[in-house]
Amino acid sequence: MDERTIAGLLATLVVATLAVLGVYGFGTGYLLNSPGEFLVPTLGVLVVAVLAVGALIASGIGSKRWRANPYW
């Protein structure tokens, strides 16, 4: 394996770990402990964040210069 493959696997592992910790934290902090008045605003923020990230991904994928950038 070359260094880029190892770095990619490590980055994927870090992202997956953070996702698992986030789901666990949300489950224990909000779903099990009944946050009351803060549940709806939290869900709203999550929806907006997912839409914003999705829009950024869609704009990056739709760009014709996405792979033409010398960074890649």
Side-chain angles (χ1 to χ4, degrees):
M1 283 190 176
D2 64 344
E3 293 175 3
R4 290 177 61 174
T5 303
I6 294 171
L9 290 174
L10 181 61
T12 303
L13 179 64
V14 168
V15 169
T17 302
L18 290 174
V20 168
L21 287 174
V23 169
Y24 174 76
F26 180 77
T28 58
Y30 282 97
L31 298 179
L32 297 179
N33 292 333
S34 183
E37 65 187 56
F38 296 116
L39 180 62
V40 174
T42 300
L43 292 177
V45 167
L46 288 174
V47 167
V48 169
V50 166
L51 290 175
V53 170
L56 289 172
I57 290 171
S59 68
I61 289 173
S63 173
K64 293 180 181 176
R65 294 182 36 152
W66 185 47
R67 291 288 186 179
N69 188 340
Y71 175 78
W72 299 109

